[in-house]
Amino acid sequence: MLWRLTACAVIIAAVAGGCGVFGGGKHEVGECVRTTVGVGGTDIKSAECPTSGNVMDNLGDPIYKITHVVGYEESCPEDNKYGIQLKHEPDDAVYCLAIAR
């Protein structure tokens, strides 16, 4: 009986993982995003990358480009230029963000 419960739990976890339920929501390096701060903390959402190339056009409501994604307990590399280090608990990741150009 116990092995059946264990087998069912493994199958459910595998199916849920394949559907993106567990850890499937991470953003990728090179993706452009916007950040918002609210009562529940800081959130990160996909955004269109700017096309003008003028950083000044992007300062009012900044769009960031992800330069690195590291584990939740890690830090962004010091040898890379980034503007923000964002710990995002729902994705269990730290995003290293630079102003998109």
Side-chain angles (χ1 to χ4, degrees), residues 14-92:
V15 169
C19 294
V21 175
F22 298 120
K26 287 188 178 182
H27 298 275
E28 298 179 4
V29 171
E31 183 179 347
C32 288
V33 296
R34 288 187 192 274
T35 61
T36 56
V37 179
V39 177
T42 303
D43 198 11
I44 183 171
K45 296 188 189 248
S46 295
E48 291 289 322
C49 291
T51 57
S52 74
N54 185 354
V55 174
M56 299 307 284
D57 292 342
N58 190 15
L59 293 179
D61 186 14
I63 297 175
Y64 300 96
K65 187 170 262 189
I66 299 173
T67 60
H68 286 84
V69 179
V70 296
Y72 192 73
E73 298 300 323
E74 298 177 46
S75 295
C76 294
E78 292 184 24
D79 63 339
N80 185 22
K81 293 182 180 179
Y82 60 91
I84 293 179
Q85 179 171 301
L86 176 67
K87 278 189 140 180
H88 195 251
E89 193 170 310
D91 289 350
D92 197 30

